[in-house]
Amino acid sequence: MDCWNEREKRLFKTVSELVSTSMLMASSIDDIQFRSLSIDSKMKYLSYELGVIEFFSQLFDKTSGSCDFSNFLIYYSSYKYGLDDFPLNFLQLERRHQKFLPVRELGFMSESNSGLADGSPTPGHSRLAYFNAAKIS
């Protein structure tokens, strides 16, 4: 599905790259390893990732009030997971039902606590520590 205007595509691509980079810094789980995770671990991983997405989605408000979060989830799921419907369906369900809210909060906090108000990095901050606290195996 490609129904976004050029500005949305650029913004969605930028945010997708930020989320992907953050996830790589937090974990060493690649696409092959993701596919071999148990269903419970996949749901935790995606919930953590959703928290990271929610943090970076603040850029939508600052750059374009018209960007829709649901549209971004469709874009991101396609960007990262291709034609696999499971990630998108889960992200949409988790957003509504919040079964893994504590894990989502860890993903969000891994980014929100990464820098100080003056823009400098938080001393001792580690995305890996947040990811490990989510107990995704």
Side-chain angles (χ1 to χ4, degrees), residues 53-81:
I53 290 169
E54 288 169 333
F55 175 81
F56 284 114
S57 72
Q58 296 172 63
L59 293 172
F60 299 153
D61 298 333
K62 293 177 182 173
T63 58
S64 169
S66 66
C67 287
D68 182 274
F69 189 79
S70 296
N71 284 339
F72 175 71
L73 286 181
I74 294 167
Y75 180 94
Y76 181 75
S77 183
S78 174
Y79 171 88
K80 182 161 182 193
Y81 298 104

